[in-house]
């Protein structure tokens, strides 16, 4: 019987392999030209509609796949062209695409259209505003191979899930997976499904910060497509293609997940939704692993991880705010808590004691690469724990592990934090003015803490009292039940008391009742406190602390609690899950449906508060444009790919002339000559920026030659990158060498025995 099952499983694997091999060649097919339009040929075919000319191309037949529309234009000020691929008779799910507006200076544009069923008569429609059709140099429609990549990816995903379930069932029948583990797996899977409910639709919901993070994803994708080098420091595409150094200040390591999905062919909306699924799965898996490592009880760890996943503030970050950075940071906070707990509770003489620091290392590293402000809050709470338990902190073994963890974190992440610190001191940004603002009135009211029903709320962050910024009625009930039980029976323990105390402290810090304005005026810590912008960010710490408490409270009740307390825990879980159901249902059906398939029609000025724009740059006066030269200076052969520019310069005067290039003048740009006539001095970047903060190039007298402008950063950046890379190689090598040594020692011991 077992032999027959094994044979059937091997046959299934062979069938899967054959399917993959059959799909693979299609992924490397050349793009097929489906239609081509020249602006000079369509003047007589346009019709006037109100104040613009409209052109509709020939009907073409499209089969399922991903199609790319490439547009080349020459537009002047106040001119624009709107391009869209349409099919009037298609049912909704067969044809996915958005139109794109093209403005002056944006000479080349491409965007995708996604066809899910046969479309027999699609066509391109162009609307010309204040311009003749000759401004449309060329428009091409290509059938790409990305649809095949998507099909291959989905096939591999389905096969992987199928193989996992088969192996999971086999291990259950073999008695290798206990009933407890089965309960944990299916409960966590149901929890993820519940938390992901708003995105189990064909549309999605835009939170207050969603457009900012979508633009980060689009900017990173565009930079890589334009040949940008790693690590990306300045993302192209932003601010009318002037570029934005968001990557220097805001870690984008995990954004490579949606970028990868975009590259293989998924639509913009689908890539983002799959990215959110990854965040939810990673959150609950890491939370369960961390809590189980601390509690040594599967159901306690399950309770804690479910509370963490469905916490109203967590769902609020994921959907209501669209706060991708904080949502990513919440993945790793349980690791930090686990590492701190183990270092302070385990015996310092145990063989595994030194390994506990790695929870802190990878936890804080993940937070740093996700969200700098969450890093600040995490460090503050870690410092508070170290201060409260100073006796254990100052134990030689514990202190050394904390010191080693801090050093490793700094070295591993040097490639990110060192450029950030350098750039913060190299220039003045809008961020500095934001950190000087008062935040007292941006904390939440008591009514928000006691709010019973979370909902989709308002997307306007000035209306905190109308948003579900809360720990939730279920979590508050759990804390109060414990306090009442402990006061009445004295059966609580010091660990639960500590977690409850820290939880209430984090909740209090999220309110407007803490004198935040007075704290903001303190030297040293004032700017750090004000940089949080919203005191209610501290609810992220409350969320992880309450979740950790929930698991340990369960253990305490299991050990000595009465039936009433157990019943209260059951009621708590019913309330908690019910509130989560209400919350996600409110988002899925109460929010406006948005269909965003391509990033190109999303705009380029979604910079939030423009924290990372140099101070004084008028971002709302910017526009697409070519280089601007002073009299006597001419440029030609201009080519701009992302933040890299090539052009030929000729200064026919006897004085230095200046050229303004459409790039924001961040410190770190470099200009290099590719050969000039007569051995003249080379152009250089001036300290002063040009109009709208544009990069300003000084071109010496009588100069004639080709130049390249690119972002190089500071030599320290490259040193930091090498240090981080070498440290990671050393850590990985030490891990595998140690594992190999332990395996060899184990084999020798077995042989001797």
């Amino acid at each position: 019987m077992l032999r027959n099952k094994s044979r059937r499983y091997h046959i299934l694997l062979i069938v899967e392999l054959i399917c993959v091999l059959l799909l693979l060649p299609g992924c490397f097919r050349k793009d097929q030209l489906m239609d081509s339009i020249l602006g000079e040929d369509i003047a007589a075919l346009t019709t006037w509609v109100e104040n613009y000319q409209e052109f509709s191309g020939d009907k073409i037949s499209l089969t399922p796949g991903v199609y790319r529309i490439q547009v080349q234009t020459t537009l002047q000020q106040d001119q624009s062209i709107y391009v869209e691929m349409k099919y009037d008779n298609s049912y909704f799910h067969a044809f996915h695409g958005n139109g794109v507006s093209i403005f002056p200076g944006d000479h080349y544009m491409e965007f995708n259209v996604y066809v899910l069923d046969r479309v027999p008569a699609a066509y391109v429609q162009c609307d010309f505003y204040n311009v003749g059709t000759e401004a449309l140099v060329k428009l091409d429609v290509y059938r790409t191979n990305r649809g095949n990549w998507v099909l291959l990816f989905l096939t591999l995903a389905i096969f992987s899930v199928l193989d996992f379930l088969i192996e999971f069932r086999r291990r259950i029948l073999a008695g290798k997976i206990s009933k407890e583990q089965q309960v944990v797996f299916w409960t966590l899977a149901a929890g993820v499904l519940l938390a992901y409910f708003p995105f189990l639709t064909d549309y999605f919901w835009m939170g207050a910060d969603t457009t900012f993070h979508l633009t980060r994803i689009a900017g990173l994708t565009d930079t890589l497509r334009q040949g940008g080098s790693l690590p990306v420091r300045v993302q192209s595409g932003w601010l009318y293609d002037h570029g934005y150094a968001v990557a220097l200040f805001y870690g984008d390591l995990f954004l490579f997940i949606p970028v990868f999905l975009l590259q293989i062919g998924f639509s913009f909306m689908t890539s983002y939704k799959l990215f959110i699924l990854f965040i939810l799965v990673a959150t609950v898996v890491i939370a369960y692993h961390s809590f189980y490592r601390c509690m040594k009880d599967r159901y306690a760890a399950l309770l804690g991880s479910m509370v963490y996943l469905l916490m109203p503030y967590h769902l609020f970050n994921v959907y209501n705010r669209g706060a991708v950075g904080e949502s990513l940071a919440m993945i790793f906070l349980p690791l930090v808590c686990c590492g701190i707990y183990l270092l302070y509770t385990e015996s310092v003489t145990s063989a595994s004691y030194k390994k506990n620091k790695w929870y802190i290392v990878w936890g804080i590293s993940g937070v740093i690469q996700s969200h700098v402000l969450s890093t600040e809050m995490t460090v503050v709470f870690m410092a508070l724990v170290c201060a409260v338990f100073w006796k254990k902190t100052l134990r030689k073994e514990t202190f050394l592990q904390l010191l080693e963890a801090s050093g490793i974190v700094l070295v591993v992440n040097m490639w990110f934090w060192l450029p950030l610190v350098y750039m913060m001191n190299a220039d003045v940004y809008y961020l500095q003015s934001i950190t000087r603002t008062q935040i007292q009135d941006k904390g939440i009211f008591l009514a928000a803490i006691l709010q019973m029903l979370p909902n989709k709320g308002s997307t306007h962050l000035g209306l905190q009292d109308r948003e579900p910024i809360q720990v939730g009625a279920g979590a508050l009930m759990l804390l109060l039940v414990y306090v009442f039980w402990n006061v009445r029976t004295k059966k609580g323990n010091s660990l639960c008391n500590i977690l409850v105390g820290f939880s209430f402290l984090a909740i209090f810090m999220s309110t407007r009742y803490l004198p935040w304005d007075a704290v903001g005026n303190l030297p040293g810590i004032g700017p750090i406190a004000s940089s949080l912008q919203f005191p209610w960010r501290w609810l992220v710490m409350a969320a992880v602390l309450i979740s950790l408490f929930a698991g340990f409270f369960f253990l305490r009740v299991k050990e000595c609690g009465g039936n009433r307390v157990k019943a209260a825990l059951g009621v708590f879980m019913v309330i908690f899950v019910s509130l989560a159901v209400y919350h996600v249902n409110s988002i899925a059906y109460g929010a406006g449906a948005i269909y965003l398939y391509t990033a190109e029609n999303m705009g380029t000025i979604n910079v939030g508060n423009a924290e990372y724009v140099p101070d004084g740059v008028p971002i709302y006066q910017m526009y697409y444009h070519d280089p601007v030269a002073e009299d006597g200076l001419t440029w030609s052969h201009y080519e701009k790919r992302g933040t890299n520019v090539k052009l030929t310069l000729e200064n026919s005067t006897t004085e230095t002339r200046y050229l303004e290039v459409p790039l924001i003048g961040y410190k770190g740009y470099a200009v290099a000559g590719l050969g000039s006539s007569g051995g003249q001095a080379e152009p250089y970047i001036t300290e002063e920026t040009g109009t709208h903060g544009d990069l300003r190039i000084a071109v010496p007298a009588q100069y004639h030659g080709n130049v390249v402008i690119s972002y190089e950063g500071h030599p320290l950046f490259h040193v930091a990158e090498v240090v981080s890379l070498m440290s990671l190689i050393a850590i990985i090598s030490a891990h595998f060498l140690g594992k190999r040594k332990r395996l060899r020692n184990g084999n020798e011991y077995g042989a001797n025995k």
Side-chain angles (χ1 to χ4, degrees):
M1 178 70 72
L2 291 176
R3 187 172 298 176
N4 290 335
K5 289 183 178 180
S6 177
R7 184 180 294 111
R8 288 199 297 267
Y9 182 62
H10 288 153
I11 292 174
L12 175 63
L13 292 178
I14 293 173
V15 172
E16 291 176 355
L17 179 61
I18 292 173
C19 291
V20 170
L21 292 176
L22 289 175
L23 292 174
L24 199 58
C27 298
F28 299 96
R29 290 176 182 170
K30 291 183 178 180
D31 294 349
Q32 178 185 358
L33 180 64
M34 305 293 296
D35 193 16
S36 185
I37 299 171
L38 299 178
E40 60 187 18
D41 295 337
I42 63 174
L45 303 177
T46 60
T47 58
W48 280 95
V49 180
E50 295 181 354
N51 62 337
Y52 63 91
Q53 297 183 75
E54 182 180 277
F55 165 77
S56 296
D58 295 333
K59 300 294 194 329
I60 56 176
S61 178
L62 304 179
T63 54
V66 180
Y67 294 80
R68 182 177 73 254
I69 291 87
Q70 294 180 348
V71 188
Q72 298 180 49
T73 60
T74 55
L75 297 171
Q76 304 300 320
Q77 190 171 357
D78 298 327
Q79 298 176 345
S80 65
I81 301 176
Y82 180 79
V83 180
E84 183 178 10
M85 176 161 262
K86 304 177 69 174
Y87 174 50
D88 297 331
N89 299 321
S90 172
Y91 64 90
F92 180 75
H93 294 285
F95 195 87
H96 291 170
N98 302 122
V100 171
S101 294
I102 306 173
F103 299 99
D106 195 11
H107 301 301
Y108 177 84
M109 172 75 73
E110 67 175 46
F111 61 97
N112 292 335
V113 171
Y114 305 87
V115 179
L116 305 184
D117 199 352
R118 185 176 180 276
V119 176
Y123 62 94
V124 173
Q125 179 174 304
C126 302
D127 299 335
F128 299 86
Y129 295 87
N130 300 322
V131 65
T133 60
E134 68 280 356
L136 177 64
V137 178
K138 191 178 183 182
L139 185 151
D140 294 322
V141 179
Y142 288 93
R143 188 184 196 283
T144 72
N145 58 22
R146 291 186 177 180
N148 298 319
W149 281 107
V150 170
L151 182 60
L152 178 62
F153 179 89
L154 293 176
T155 301
L156 289 173
I158 293 171
F159 287 166
S160 298
V161 172
L162 177 62
D163 294 342
F164 170 80
L165 292 176
I166 292 174
E167 178 63 16
F168 189 67
R169 179 177 180 273
R170 186 191 67 78
R171 291 176 66 84
I172 290 174
L173 295 176
K176 295 181 179 181
I177 297 180
S178 66
K179 289 185 177 180
E180 280 188 349
Q181 291 173 308
Q182 296 176 50
V183 170
V184 167
F185 174 80
W186 292 114
T187 303
L188 293 180
V192 170
L193 191 65
L194 171 59
Y196 194 62
F197 179 75
F199 279 173
L200 294 174
T201 58
D202 62 348
Y203 55 86
F204 80 135
W205 154 250
M206 296 273 277
D209 294 341
T210 305
T211 52
F212 169 70
H213 293 292
L214 288 175
T215 311
R216 289 177 63 207
I217 296 169
L220 183 58
T221 304
D222 181 69
T223 304
L224 295 176
R225 285 178 179 174
Q226 299 284 357
S229 59
L230 295 175
V232 173
R233 301 296 187 186
V234 180
Q235 291 189 0
S236 61
W238 293 74
L239 299 170
Y240 302 99
D241 211 28
H242 283 66
Y244 189 33
V246 61
L248 271 164
F249 302 90
Y250 206 134
D252 56 11
L253 179 64
F254 299 105
L255 296 188
F256 281 90
I257 297 170
V259 167
F260 167 76
L261 295 172
L262 278 170
Q263 289 289 75
I264 65 173
F266 283 99
S267 70
F268 202 54
M269 180 176 67
T270 302
S271 299
Y272 181 77
K273 291 168 73 170
L274 291 175
F275 182 41
I276 295 300
L277 179 61
F278 162 81
I279 290 176
L280 295 175
V281 172
T283 298
V284 77
V285 168
I286 290 179
Y288 175 78
H289 170 79
S290 302
F291 294 161
Y292 180 68
R293 180 69 177 83
C294 295
M295 301 165 191
K296 307 296 191 299
D297 184 281
R298 296 194 183 280
Y299 289 149
L302 175 63
L303 176 64
S305 54
M306 286 293 289
V307 168
Y308 192 57
L309 176 69
L310 302 178
M311 185 72 69
Y313 186 71
H314 181 231
L315 296 177
F316 167 73
N317 272 336
V318 172
Y319 296 112
N320 298 76
R321 284 184 63 208
V324 170
E326 279 191 50
S327 300
L328 283 168
M330 291 187 76
I331 295 176
F332 304 99
L333 288 177
L335 289 174
V336 180
C337 292
C338 177
I340 292 292
Y341 172 81
L342 294 175
L343 284 179
Y344 279 78
T345 59
E346 280 196 350
S347 172
V348 297
T349 60
S350 65
S352 62
Y353 185 76
K354 293 183 179 180
K355 296 180 182 179
N356 296 328
K357 67 173 175 288
W358 292 106
Y359 285 99
I360 298 176
V361 169
W362 301 125
I364 295 183
S365 295
V367 175
I368 289 174
Q369 298 298 333
S370 303
H371 194 237
V372 174
L373 296 183
S374 293
T375 306
E376 293 180 11
M377 294 186 290
T378 304
V379 171
V380 167
F381 258 83
M382 285 183 63
L384 187 59
V385 170
C386 292
V388 171
F389 304 103
W390 61 273
K391 289 185 178 179
K392 288 191 175 182
T393 302
L394 295 179
R395 287 186 307 190
K396 179 181 178 182
E397 296 83 358
T398 304
F399 184 77
L400 286 176
Q401 294 309 305
L402 290 172
L403 197 62
E404 286 183 18
S406 301
I408 296 171
V409 166
L410 290 175
V411 171
V412 169
N413 298 281
M414 185 180 290
W415 70 273
F416 173 70
W417 66 260
L418 185 60
L420 186 155
V421 173
Y422 176 86
M423 291 296 290
M424 286 295 295
N425 290 279
D427 211 337
V428 179
Y429 309 90
Y430 284 111
L431 176 64
Q432 278 88 338
S433 62
I434 293 174
T435 59
R436 291 191 294 267
T437 59
Q438 296 182 333
I439 63 174
Q440 185 79 41
D441 62 343
K442 296 178 181 177
I444 57 177
F445 289 102
L446 177 63
I449 298 175
L450 300 176
Q451 185 178 356
M452 294 296 293
L453 297 177
N455 50 64
K456 73 179 181 64
S458 167
T459 60
H460 189 275
L461 294 182
L463 303 175
Q464 287 87 6
D465 54 326
R466 300 185 187 180
E467 293 187 300
I469 306 175
Q470 55 180 281
V471 293
L476 284 174
M477 171 193 166
L478 183 67
L479 293 172
L480 295 176
V481 164
Y482 173 79
V483 171
F484 178 78
W485 177 65
N486 188 33
V487 170
R488 186 173 181 180
T489 66
K490 307 297 182 184
K491 291 184 178 180
N493 58 18
S494 58
L495 177 58
C496 287
N497 293 339
I498 291 166
L499 291 172
V500 168
F502 277 122
S503 298
F504 278 122
L505 175 62
I507 294 172
F508 177 65
M509 293 175 70
S510 70
T511 69
R512 58 181 60 199
Y513 307 118
L514 187 76
W516 282 109
D517 289 347
V519 174
N521 294 326
L522 295 176
I525 65 173
I528 297 176
S530 299
S531 68
L532 294 177
Q533 299 176 322
F534 310 106
W536 42 257
R537 290 187 193 273
W538 288 102
L539 286 177
V540 73
M541 303 307 303
V544 68
L545 290 168
I546 292 173
S547 304
L548 196 61
F549 160 74
F552 281 112
F553 184 26
F554 175 86
L555 288 180
R556 191 61 181 164
V557 170
K558 185 178 179 181
E559 180 182 346
C560 59
N563 292 329
R564 291 184 179 179
V565 181
K566 292 180 180 179
L569 277 177
V571 172
F572 154 74
M573 282 307 301
V574 171
I575 293 176
F576 201 84
V577 173
S578 299
L579 291 179
V581 170
Y582 180 86
H583 191 173
V584 296
N585 186 76
S586 174
I587 294 170
Y589 295 108
I594 294 177
Y595 301 90
L596 183 64
Y597 303 110
T598 59
E600 286 74 16
N601 70 331
M602 190 174 58
T604 65
I605 59 172
N606 303 307
V607 292
N609 294 319
E611 292 94 333
Y612 317 123
V613 173
D615 192 28
V617 175
I619 60 175
Y620 294 106
Q621 297 178 19
M622 300 175 76
Y623 56 92
Y624 289 107
H625 66 86
D626 291 329
V628 178
E630 288 187 333
D631 292 340
L633 175 65
T634 59
W635 56 267
S636 60
H637 302 97
Y638 174 66
E639 179 183 348
K640 186 174 187 293
R641 290 182 58 82
T643 56
N644 298 315
V645 172
K646 293 181 180 179
L647 75 167
T648 301
L649 296 175
E650 182 175 0
N651 183 357
S652 59
T653 71
T654 58
E655 297 179 356
T656 299
R657 288 290 184 260
Y658 297 92
L659 177 78
E660 294 183 7
V661 182
L663 294 169
I664 291 182
Y666 289 105
K667 300 293 190 296
Y669 273 104
V671 56
L674 299 180
S676 59
S677 60
Q680 298 292 317
E682 297 292 338
Y684 60 92
I685 297 174
T686 65
E687 288 293 327
E688 304 80 14
T689 56
T691 308
H692 307 144
D694 286 355
L695 199 68
R696 194 164 181 257
I697 310 296
V699 183
Q702 302 297 319
Y703 179 86
H704 180 234
N706 302 319
V707 299
V708 174
I709 304 167
S710 59
Y711 190 83
E712 301 295 335
H714 190 275
L716 279 176
F717 297 6
H718 306 302
V719 173
E721 293 162 11
V722 172
V723 170
S724 294
L725 180 61
M726 296 304 296
S727 64
L728 276 175
I729 293 174
I731 291 170
I732 295 172
S733 300
H735 171 75
F736 283 106
L737 288 175
K739 187 175 182 180
R740 183 178 178 183
K741 182 178 179 181
R742 288 190 297 272
L743 183 62
R744 184 173 63 250
N745 291 340
N747 292 336
E748 291 177 356
Y749 174 78
N752 294 332
K753 186 176 179 180

